[in-house]
Amino acid sequence: MDFRKFVRLLDSGSISEILLTDHVKLRLKQRNVDPKLVEELLLKRQKALRGVEHQGGNRFKSTYVHPESRGMDLVIVVEARERKSKMRLTVITAFPQPASRRIRVSEDGEKC
């Protein structure tokens, strides 16, 4: 999936399914991140979205303002698959990160 299509589908809320594997759920628990927060950010919190980076293939790294920790972001890496103009996301990982570490990227998903 290309970068622009991913961002367009993310902005439109065209997400049909979000899959969190048992491994991802375990890592989220270890990092004190609520799996429901990850799903909520991906589905409903476009105002909290601060950036998207294309990591190659169908993998994308999205950075959101962390709604529960001041001065922190929540980074969510997903693999996206398109199905009938909807998007299925598999969460690869998610982790909190200081907001000061945000990376600036251009509109085509490349680092500046």
Side-chain angles (χ1 to χ4, degrees):
M1 177 177 297
D2 85 359
F3 178 79
R4 290 179 195 271
K5 181 179 260 185
F6 175 78
V7 171
R8 189 175 60 248
L9 289 170
L10 194 61
D11 282 343
S12 70
S14 296
I15 300 172
S16 62
E17 181 181 6
I18 297 174
L19 177 64
L20 291 111
T21 64
D22 289 340
H23 175 77
V24 168
K25 290 177 186 174
L26 175 65
R27 292 291 186 219
L28 292 176
K29 184 176 180 179
Q30 292 170 342
R31 295 172 181 152
N32 295 317
V33 175
D34 184 355
K36 290 182 193 277
L37 175 62
V38 172
E39 291 177 0
E40 181 183 327
L41 286 171
L42 290 169
L43 289 171
K44 301 176 187 170
R45 294 278 185 104
Q46 296 315 309
K47 290 180 183 177
L49 182 64
R50 291 296 172 251
V52 177
E53 181 182 343
H54 189 200
Q55 295 195 311
N58 291 327
R59 196 166 284 194
F60 299 88
K61 177 180 171 181
S62 302
T63 302
Y64 293 86
V65 173
H66 198 306
E68 298 172 356
S69 297
R70 188 180 177 118
M72 296 294 285
D73 288 337
L74 188 61
V75 176
I76 305 171
V77 179
V78 298
E79 187 157 299
R81 299 271 187 230
E82 188 178 11
R83 288 186 174 177
K84 298 180 183 177
S85 73
K86 291 271 189 178
M87 190 166 46
R88 178 181 181 213
L89 301 178
T90 302
V91 177
I92 305 301
T93 190
F95 55 90
Q97 161 180 294
S100 60
R101 293 206 45 197
R102 283 187 202 143
I103 297 172
R104 190 178 167 137
V105 295
S106 66
E107 287 187 17
D108 62 354
E110 299 298 320
K111 294 179 185 177
C112 295

